[in-house]
Amino acid sequence: MIVAYQNYSKLLWLPVYSLNDKHHNSIGFQITAISQFLIYCISAYVIIRTCQISVRIKIFHENMVILLCWFLLQWFEAIIAKAWIMLYQTGTIGIGKYPDRAYFAWWTEDREKMVLVDDLKDIMDLYVASCFMWHYIYSVIFAPVVVIVERGIATWYIQDYENVRRRHIPILLIIVTNLITIPYAHFIINNRIPFLIAYAQCVLNAGFVFFGYSISWKVHARWRKQMDEPQTDGEQYSLAKKFQIEENIRFIVLIRKMVLVIVIYLSLSLTMLICLVFELIQGYDWIFVHLLDNVILSAALVISIALLFCSPSWRDAFIGGIPIIRRFRKPPVSLRKFSQKVSQVPETELYFIQLKNAWV
């Protein structure tokens, strides 16, 4: 939604399609709102459980776990911002020179479709909430890129990435990401970045993720093939380097589904956005708006589910931890007796223990 000052001296681009929409008071929407609330509650549960499981069951390197948890937990930033924006969407708080008029547009150059306000201070709370929402949206767009970059760094330090704790890497990546996304949010909301450039950035990021993943797979597959061949230089592939190559390949295989889901998700979001902006689906706008709204807020949920089903250990831990299932799920007596005799080290951590011992 484009908001203009009374004298058109400045334009604001808010991440919302409708304002002062009285249709939100209908019974149909109230039923939909209750359904959405339940979905948000489920999303919060899945996101928190995904973070807990990723920390407890070590499938990925700890630097990767830090990045994943950070980006997933940013969903709570979006849901808080969305809760406040909804007050303006539903008309609970009127906006503009004509507070009884409903406005519909995602982005427009038509002055008649813009919301007129006297000054920024009149909508400061909506402005702040929209800043947080834009920050979340671009964090989602740049998060997959950061994951690929982290794997690139792991390849650069291939000799000792697992052995040497480099906690500064995820911290620096998070800082750099925010140094990009925060200014992006500021420029986008103040309409200083043209729509096509903002759209192109999303397409570029999706392409980077896909091709970065493909190139990484080919490079590591070639290294693995070279490891299996006789080497004239015995130091070329040390035990530590072999372990790191296998770890990177294992990670690439595990996130194959997640990369596919991310690319499909971004493609779907961008397709719906372009349809709304250029009004390619007149008469069905309300359907696409509702879908786009939920797609934006479901990013963390979609990625969490994709992550959980990347690993059987994570999937089983999640399903077994659901309260209803956990209550009726009891292991066989023979299995409980056997489990008391085996090692207390989780099977998923054995790989990292072996990897760490490679440098001893």
Side-chain angles (χ1 to χ4, degrees):
M1 176 65 66
I2 299 296
V3 176
Y5 290 172
Q6 190 67 33
N7 56 4
Y8 296 107
S9 61
K10 188 176 181 180
L11 300 178
L12 303 177
W13 183 10
L14 306 184
V16 57
Y17 179 81
S18 61
L19 291 171
N20 296 340
D21 184 7
K22 301 302 181 180
H23 289 92
H24 287 84
N25 297 325
S26 65
I27 297 178
F29 177 81
Q30 290 176 3
I31 295 175
T32 304
I34 294 174
S35 301
Q36 282 187 308
F37 178 75
L38 293 176
I39 292 175
Y40 295 156
C41 291
I42 293 172
S43 299
Y45 172 78
V46 173
I47 291 168
I48 292 174
R49 286 285 294 148
T50 301
C51 293
Q52 291 175 338
I53 291 172
S54 66
V55 172
R56 182 168 56 87
I57 303 179
K58 294 179 174 62
I59 294 296
F60 300 144
H61 189 277
E62 64 175 5
N63 288 348
M64 179 59 63
V65 172
I66 292 173
L67 291 174
L68 291 176
C69 291
W70 170 265
F71 288 121
L72 288 178
L73 292 175
Q74 280 190 293
W75 178 83
F76 291 94
E77 168 192 17
I79 205 65
I80 293 173
K82 179 62 177 179
W84 194 259
I85 291 174
M86 281 292 292
L87 296 176
Y88 286 88
Q89 282 186 284
T90 58
T92 303
I93 300 178
I95 182 175
K97 185 177 180 182
Y98 308 101
D100 294 329
R101 174 187 169 186
Y103 298 88
F104 302 94
W106 181 258
W107 185 90
T108 183
E109 293 181 342
D110 186 352
R111 297 285 185 177
E112 294 298 323
K113 296 182 179 180
M114 296 181 184
V115 181
L116 297 180
V117 297
D118 291 328
D119 194 78
L120 177 61
K121 64 182 180 180
D122 296 337
I123 57 167
M124 180 57 70
D125 53 345
L126 177 60
Y127 177 84
V128 172
S130 298
C131 284
F132 280 109
M133 182 61 74
W134 274 124
H135 177 253
Y136 164 76
I137 292 173
Y138 274 92
S139 294
V140 169
I141 293 171
F142 278 93
V145 175
V146 174
V147 170
I148 298 297
V149 170
E150 191 275 342
R151 283 296 93 185
I153 295 173
T155 303
W156 178 265
Y157 291 108
I158 198 167
Q159 291 288 359
D160 60 358
Y161 190 71
E162 297 294 340
N163 185 49
V164 180
R165 174 171 287 186
R166 295 183 172 91
R167 192 66 63 80
H168 64 280
I169 289 177
I171 295 175
L172 287 176
L173 287 175
I174 290 172
I175 292 174
V176 170
T177 303
N178 281 278
L179 288 177
I180 296 173
T181 55
I182 291 176
Y184 240 114
H186 171 76
F187 291 135
I188 284 289
I189 197 171
N190 287 283
N191 202 40
R192 295 181 184 176
I193 298 180
F195 169 77
L196 290 179
I197 293 180
Y199 185 87
Q201 180 66 64
C202 302
V203 175
L204 181 64
N205 284 21
F208 178 87
V209 171
F210 178 77
F211 288 108
Y213 176 85
S214 302
I215 292 172
S216 181
W217 168 254
K218 290 183 178 180
V219 169
H220 285 85
R222 186 184 64 184
W223 284 349
R224 172 186 272 178
K225 182 178 179 181
Q226 291 176 351
M227 286 192 308
D228 296 334
E229 298 175 352
Q231 302 293 322
T232 56
D233 184 0
E235 295 297 325
Q236 185 174 359
Y237 286 101
S238 63
L239 180 60
K241 189 172 183 178
K242 290 180 179 180
F243 265 102
Q244 184 60 57
I245 291 174
E246 291 297 333
E247 155 64 6
N248 287 355
I249 292 176
R250 191 177 66 89
F251 174 83
I252 291 171
V253 172
L254 284 173
I255 68 167
R256 179 173 51 196
K257 294 178 182 178
M258 187 179 74
V259 170
L260 180 62
V261 167
I262 289 173
V263 172
I264 293 175
Y265 170 83
L266 289 177
S267 300
L268 180 63
S269 303
L270 295 175
T271 300
M272 287 191 291
L273 179 60
I274 207 72
C275 288
L276 282 173
V277 171
F278 291 101
E279 299 181 347
L280 302 178
I281 32 78
Q282 293 184 4
Y284 299 95
D285 295 24
W286 66 275
I287 297 177
F288 274 72
V289 169
H290 186 72
L291 289 174
L292 182 61
D293 223 20
N294 284 277
V295 164
I296 291 174
L297 286 173
S298 65
L301 175 63
V302 170
I303 294 175
S304 293
I305 294 174
L307 279 172
L308 290 172
F309 283 84
C310 280
S311 165
S313 299
W314 281 16
R315 180 193 60 209
D316 294 343
F318 175 76
I319 294 175
I322 297 176
I324 298 177
I325 296 178
R326 183 175 54 195
R327 181 177 178 181
F328 296 99
R329 188 180 183 183
K330 295 182 180 179
V333 176
S334 58
L335 179 61
R336 291 201 301 266
K337 290 182 179 179
F338 175 76
S339 63
Q340 295 173 358
K341 298 179 182 180
V342 298
S343 172
Q344 297 299 314
V345 180
E347 181 181 355
T348 52
E349 296 188 17
L350 290 178
Y351 176 84
F352 286 92
I353 294 175
Q354 295 171 354
L355 192 58
K356 182 177 181 180
N357 292 337
W359 283 272
V360 178

